[in-house]
């Protein structure tokens, strides 16, 4: 009976994050009619990330985007720091190879996401902001399982041939349809972030940068008070993004509060030289999916595909959180598969199967598989505390000249290892697990 | 904490809260304590065994929902146009 109802649009995209806006753009560009629905009053107003966008995939959609989009800085320096209560051991990687072609840029989502959505609008996408989608409209599908035919927002119903669920990590759409289960808490982390204002010149002096260059600091160890996770400190044009990512099972077990851990980070003496006199301009939080490939469930069903973090496509390698690039990659794959399915007149799960095929052939699911062991590896607690202490002891042995005769580095390391709770066996086993996971 | 939140912009939905707790289940499952611990905005607090909810301060991350035992918490996004607005992100 409802078969006869003409759809209002070819495609409804729910969520104007990077996944949704890129999918909408690409669909409209290929001639489909598209509505993009966003619950925030403007795209980006509900979104938050650490902010390092690995941009090569976006370059495929918008060549040279970094020259046009509101990006903050081009990352030419990656610093990895093991923090202990009173020491910091860092590995500093800087390279001109990171600058040309642009590898990664920092973005602030409240500025970047509106730009992406405006590109979609220019391509003909109809943007509906300030509208929360409440439910999917379904009908019995060919095999008895539900077929998605549209969405409901308040009193309004909109129909389409295909719905794209780009509604982020909490994806109520994928959940309501039973495509995503309730995640175990070791597959989720909470990110707590603040943006701190500092003059441009001060940032460049403190982080050793010139012009539009940027630095990304990944921090592990005492910054999380032993809770599985890590912290980040990224440079924007005139602000810093500082945040902590805490695995939920570990946070609950620790007996500490997220606020307490965040405050510990903010006041950590190891970060004080970077943060001095900076003004808090915003404070926010957001979940991170970090279940790896195991979290990616069914991503195409009758009349609907799931993209970006709604599909669990995020990688936490321990030192970086990657999600925006995977969101964009999945959006490209989904859009092209939808165009194909609509043209063939088959938008059932099998008609849309080209989506997963494309994901498997590209970098998205390959990287998810490559980093598939990372979640397990990160659960090995040594990463967070004892190794930082060990490294600090080794370097203290080398640089802490207290008029006692020096030993060779190997001797220093042996002794530090002997005094550390880390055993050689654990070191080798974790090292091997790390090499395999990362 | 409250001064950090003060920098944010919130559009308060006076008519309906997007968060509801089941006090009995929060107590019996330990969810109440977990909510207080994980919420980065300090939305939840405990007084005399009851969980108080200051939904106006919610940052909409969904962390509370992820740690709650089934039935102990009902949480969804605020209505379109309401809630927190990030200006940086
Ligand atoms: C602390 C932290 C640090 C991170 N750091 C990085 C990083 O440095 N680099 C990186 O690449 N990734 C990072 N990520 C991950 C990254 O933010 C996400 O993977 C990415 O935003 C996912 O994009 P998306 O488009 O799938 O979802 P989102 O960006 O979450 O977009 C979903 C959109 O859907 C909207 N929406 C949801 N439900 C509805 C509804 N019912 N109706 C209407 N609209 C709805 C939302 O308002 C939102 O605009 C980080 C994440 C966190 C939390
Ligand atoms: S969604 Fe996040 S900020 Fe809001 S109440 Fe839950 S944990 Fe707190």
């Amino acid at each position: 009976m409802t078969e006869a109802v003409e759809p209002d649009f070819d495609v409804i995209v729910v969520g104007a994050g990077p996944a949704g806006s890129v999918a909408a753009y690409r669909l409209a560009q290929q001639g489909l009619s598209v509505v993009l629905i966003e619950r925030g009053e403007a795209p980006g107003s509900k979104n938050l990330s650490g902010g390092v966008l690995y941009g090569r995939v976006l370059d495929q959609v918008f060549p040279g985007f970094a020259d046009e989009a509101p990006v903050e800085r081009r990352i030419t320096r990656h610093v990895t720091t093991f923090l202990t209560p009173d020491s910091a051991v860092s590995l500093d990687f800087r390279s001109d190879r990171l600058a040309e072609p642009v590898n990664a840029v920092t973005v602030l989502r409240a500025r970047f996401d509106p730009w992406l959505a405006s590109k979609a609008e220019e391509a003909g996408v109809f943007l509906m902001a300030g509208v929360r989608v409440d439910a999917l409209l379904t009908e019995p599908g060919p095999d008895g399982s539900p077929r998605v035919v549209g969405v409901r927002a308040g009193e309004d119903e909109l129909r389409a041939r295909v719905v794209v669920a780009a509604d982020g990590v909490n994806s109520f759409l994928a959940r309501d349809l039973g495509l995503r289960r309730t995640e175990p808490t070791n597959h989720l982390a909470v990110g707590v972030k603040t943006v701190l204002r500092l003059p441009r010149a001060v940032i460049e002096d403190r982080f050793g940068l010139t012009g539009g260059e940027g630095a990304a600091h990944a921090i592990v160890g005492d910054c999380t008070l032993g809770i599985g996770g890590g912290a980040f400190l990224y440079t924007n044009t005139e602000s810093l993004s500082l945040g902590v990512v805490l695995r939920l099972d570990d946070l609950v077990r620790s007996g500490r509060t997220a606020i307490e851990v965040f405050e510990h980070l903010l006041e950590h003496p190891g970060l004080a030289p970077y943060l001095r006199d900076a003004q808090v301009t915003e404070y926010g939080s957001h979940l991170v999916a970090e279940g790896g490939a195991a979290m990616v469930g069914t991503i195409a069903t009758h009349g609907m595909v799931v993209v970006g973090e709604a599909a669990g496509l995020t990688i936490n390698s321990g030192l970086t959180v990657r999600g925006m690039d995977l969101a964009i990659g999945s959006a490209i794959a989904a859009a092209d598969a939808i165009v194909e399915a609509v043209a063939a007149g088959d938008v059932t799960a099998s008609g849309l199967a080209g989506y997963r095929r494309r994901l498997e052939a590209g970098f998205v699911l390959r990287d998810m598989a490559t980093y598939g062991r990372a979640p397990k590896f990160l659960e090995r607690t040594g990463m967070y505390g004892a190794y930082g202490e060990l490294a600090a002891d080794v370097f203290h042995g080398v640089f802490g000249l207290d008029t006692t005769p020096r030993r060779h580095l190997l001797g220093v390391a042996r002794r530090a290892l002997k005094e550390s709770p880390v055993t050689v066996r654990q070191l080798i086993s974790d090292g091997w697990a790390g090499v395999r996971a990362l | 904490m409250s001064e950090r939140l003060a920098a944010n912009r919130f559009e308060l939905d006076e008519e309906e809260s997007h968060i509801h707790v089941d006090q009995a289940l929060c107590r019996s499952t330990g969810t109440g304590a977990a909510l207080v611990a994980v919420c980065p905005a300090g939305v939840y607090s405990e007084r005399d065994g009851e969980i108080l909810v200051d939904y106006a301060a919610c940052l909409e991350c969904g962390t509370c929902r992820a740690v709650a035992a089934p039935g102990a918490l009902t949480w969804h996004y605020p209505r379109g146009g309401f809630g927190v607005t990030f200006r940086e992100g």
Side-chain angles (χ1 to χ4, degrees):
Chain A
M1 150 204 115
T2 31
E3 297 285 314
V5 180
E6 258 304 290
D8 303 292
F9 291 91
D10 289 322
V11 185
I12 297 170
V13 180
V14 182
S21 286
V22 169
Y25 169 82
R26 197 146 170 123
L27 287 161
Q29 258 225 328
Q30 295 178 76
L32 299 193
S33 62
V34 185
V35 61
L36 175 60
I37 308 179
E38 166 57 44
R39 71 184 184 90
E41 65 181 27
S45 65
K46 298 290 186 184
N47 300 347
L48 173 158
S49 80
V52 174
L53 168 64
Y54 294 88
R56 300 294 271 280
V57 63
L58 193 56
D59 250 331
Q60 292 172 14
V61 187
F62 304 113
F65 82 93
D67 296 326
E68 184 198 332
V71 303
E72 299 291 318
R73 287 177 182 272
R74 298 168 191 227
I75 302 297
T76 53
R77 187 168 190 183
H78 286 271
V79 180
T80 305
T81 300
F82 287 85
L83 213 55
T84 75
D86 57 4
S87 311
V89 179
S90 298
L91 185 74
D92 186 348
F93 173 56
R94 50 193 319 170
S95 172
D96 292 342
R97 277 150 63 191
L98 294 171
E100 213 42 68
V102 180
N103 179 62
V105 293
T106 39
V107 296
L108 287 165
R109 299 288 298 276
R111 285 170 218 163
F112 183 71
D113 289 14
W115 177 81
L116 267 186
S118 75
K119 295 308 265 187
E121 282 187 280
E122 283 167 24
V125 170
F126 178 54
L127 173 68
M128 279 170 73
V131 176
R132 181 190 69 186
V133 167
D134 295 320
L136 293 167
L137 300 177
T138 60
E139 289 172 2
D143 53 2
S145 62
R147 177 169 78 98
V148 177
V149 295
V151 300
R152 186 176 60 74
E155 311 281 274
D156 300 320
E157 293 190 348
L158 275 180
R159 289 174 168 261
R161 293 177 213 285
V162 181
V163 171
V164 178
D167 53 342
V169 62
N170 285 310
S171 187
F172 284 90
L173 299 191
R175 254 178 247 281
D176 287 352
L177 215 57
L179 303 183
R180 285 260 307 272
R181 56 184 180 144
T182 304
E183 285 311 321
T185 48
N186 63 340
H187 282 181
L188 291 169
V190 54
V192 188
K193 175 189 173 182
T194 186
V195 177
L196 301 162
R197 191 154 301 284
L198 270 181
R200 184 188 298 243
V202 173
I203 292 175
E204 289 170 5
D205 285 350
R206 284 187 193 172
F207 288 82
L209 306 167
T210 51
E213 287 176 351
H217 287 231
I219 307 156
V220 291
D222 185 57
C223 52
T224 59
L225 289 166
I227 297 165
F232 57 86
L233 176 60
Y234 300 151
T235 56
N236 303 311
T237 309
E238 291 187 308
S239 65
L240 305 176
S241 290
L242 172 71
V244 65
V245 175
L246 305 169
R247 223 177 59 222
L248 287 188
D249 59 327
D250 233 18
L251 172 59
V252 171
R253 207 178 306 138
S254 73
R256 296 189 185 271
T257 67
I259 293 173
E260 180 187 351
V261 181
F262 183 77
E263 267 159 17
H264 173 74
L265 172 75
L266 207 55
E267 280 149 26
H268 203 289
L271 299 181
Y274 294 115
L275 308 184
R276 201 176 58 248
D277 300 331
Q279 293 299 316
V280 170
T281 59
E282 188 164 277
Y283 175 76
S285 63
H286 201 90
L287 275 182
V288 187
E290 48 179 52
M295 201 160 161
V296 182
T298 307
I299 53 173
T301 183
H302 308 313
M304 184 167 107
V305 297
V306 190
V307 296
E309 210 167 6
L313 296 172
T314 315
I315 293 170
N316 183 354
S317 74
L319 300 179
T320 55
V321 176
R322 268 177 64 192
M324 292 184 279
D325 58 329
L326 301 170
I328 293 163
S330 69
I332 297 171
D336 294 355
I338 291 168
V339 169
E340 191 179 80
V342 168
D346 178 9
V347 293
T348 63
S350 67
L352 292 165
Y355 171 35
R356 185 176 269 274
R357 261 201 315 278
R358 284 176 169 81
L359 277 191
E360 281 167 354
F363 76 98
V364 176
L365 279 183
R366 292 220 204 136
D367 281 6
M368 290 294 291
T370 302
Y371 289 95
R373 291 176 204 268
K376 279 265 164 294
F377 172 62
L378 297 174
E379 281 175 32
R380 292 173 173 240
T381 50
M383 275 300 286
Y384 305 117
Y387 287 154
E389 301 279 355
L390 179 60
D393 286 349
V394 170
F395 283 98
H396 186 257
V398 175
F399 296 112
L401 300 185
D402 56 1
T403 74
T404 58
R406 296 291 90 190
R407 258 186 299 262
H408 274 299
L409 184 59
L410 189 60
V412 171
R414 270 208 204 102
R415 170 150 166 201
L417 188 57
K418 214 168 132 198
E419 286 170 1
S420 153
V422 179
T423 63
V424 177
R425 202 170 145 182
Q426 191 188 352
L427 193 65
I428 293 171
S429 143
D430 278 358
W432 176 238
V435 167
R436 296 207 312 161
L438 308 179
Chain B
M1 179 59 221
S2 44
E3 34 191 286
R4 269 201 295 286
L5 280 174
N8 291 355
R9 219 188 92 206
F10 292 96
E11 193 65 49
L12 178 63
D13 189 343
E14 310 260 10
E15 284 165 35
E16 62 172 68
S17 166
H18 63 291
I19 307 176
H20 298 278
V21 297
D22 180 315
Q23 297 290 353
L25 273 174
C26 272
R27 258 191 306 274
S28 64
T29 60
T31 293
L35 296 179
V36 175
V38 301
C39 176
V43 164
Y44 303 97
S45 55
E46 205 232 82
R47 201 172 61 204
D48 306 328
E50 294 270 297
I51 297 295
L52 309 181
V53 183
D54 174 19
Y55 73 93
C58 177
L59 299 166
E60 300 169 32
C61 58
T63 308
C64 49
R65 183 174 165 280
V67 300
L73 175 76
T74 314
W75 182 95
H76 52 74
Y77 290 124
R79 289 192 286 171
F82 288 106
V84 70
T85 293
F86 293 128
R87 283 166 296 184
E88 309 273 357

